[in-house]
Amino acid sequence: MNTLIAELIGTAMLILLGNGVVANVVLNQTKGKDSGWIVITFGWAIAVFVPVFMVGAYSGAHINPAITVAFLVNNSITWSEAGIYFSGQFLGGMLGAFLVWLHYKPHVEVTEDQGAKRAIFCTDPAIRNTFQNFISEVIGTFVLVFAVLFITGATVDGKPASLGALDALPVALVVLGIGLSLGGTTGYAINPARDLAPRIMHAILPISKKGSSDWGYAWIPVIGPVVGGAVASILHGVVMGF
């Protein structure tokens, strides 16, 4: 399996299970309706565990452009390789979002709350404050990437960095911790493909009375994670250089 296909499959699985648990909690007439934040955070942890375990041996299971940016910054991958990762991640994110919509379509149709409909695709902040929302995404992604770099043993000397099957559980637990501790501000996108690709699908899918895709906010869960990933990679290099 090549990198593009592995990242597409992995990211699609991430979004199908991750946005799927959100749909199960927020949409009307599901059996998981109103089951709460703990269900969502555990669901997202499992959503990370499954694709990392599945495709880690094939692509390193980045499934997140912020991870790819971190490995680009520390010279573990080239720009051309990064482009392949990004392509697979965004295509996979769009596919996963489509599958969530297809699976929950009857429940989307009986849900009147436009915010709930959008929530099964992308994030929005609990309190809208541009600077604070941006900082939340930077910090959350920093924690994820900094932890991943130590888990994988990545270095700054060009050593290949990737996630394998044995890394799936610790990485999933990191994501669980981020959700429980830091996720309440913005919904912890911490992954540009997790937010932007499904947001595009929200905009183009034939969802009745869906409301705005909130493009004014959309840059925060893209740029924030990229900055957080880059800072984590640089600091990891500094720490490992001591």
Side-chain angles (χ1 to χ4, degrees), residues 82-237:
I84 295 171
Y85 276 97
F86 293 149
S87 297
Q89 290 155 5
F90 281 99
L91 289 172
M94 294 176 73
L95 174 60
F98 172 78
L99 292 174
V100 171
W101 171 75
L102 184 65
H103 185 86
Y104 280 101
K105 189 173 182 294
H107 300 275
V108 174
E109 292 175 352
V110 298
T111 299
E112 296 181 0
D113 185 341
Q114 294 178 347
K117 290 181 180 182
R118 188 173 63 239
I120 74 171
F121 292 92
C122 52
T123 63
D124 65 351
I127 297 175
R128 194 166 291 253
N129 179 300
T130 299
F131 176 76
Q132 289 298 144
N133 300 155
F134 178 77
I135 291 299
S136 290
E137 286 296 327
V138 171
I139 292 173
T141 311
F142 172 87
V143 172
L144 171 65
V145 176
F146 201 55
V148 164
L149 290 174
F150 278 100
I151 290 168
T152 61
T155 67
V156 294
D157 60 0
K159 175 184 174 182
S162 64
L163 292 171
L166 294 178
D167 300 316
L169 182 57
V171 171
L173 291 175
V174 171
V175 173
L176 175 61
I178 293 169
L180 292 173
S181 301
L182 304 173
T185 54
T186 61
Y188 70 119
I190 60 174
N191 180 340
R194 172 265 177 273
D195 197 275
L196 180 58
R199 196 181 296 268
I200 292 171
M201 296 306 291
H202 176 269
I204 66 178
L205 284 171
I207 304 167
S208 63
K209 301 179 181 178
K210 61 184 174 183
S212 167
S213 298
D214 197 10
W215 289 108
Y217 179 77
W219 69 273
I220 291 177
V222 173
I223 304 301
V226 168
V227 172
V231 171
S233 185
I234 293 167
L235 184 58
H236 177 265

Side-chain angles (χ1 to χ4, degrees), residues 34-60:
D34 294 330
S35 50
W37 187 247
I38 302 301
V39 170
I40 288 175
T41 54
F42 269 87
W44 266 106
I46 294 168
V48 170
F49 173 85
V50 172
V52 171
F53 197 89
M54 285 174 58
V55 304
Y58 300 99
S59 69

Side-chain angles (χ1 to χ4, degrees), residues 26-39:
V26 304
L27 294 179
N28 288 346
Q29 298 183 32
T30 71
K31 293 185 180 294
K33 173 68 173 172
D34 294 330
S35 50
W37 187 247
I38 302 301
V39 170

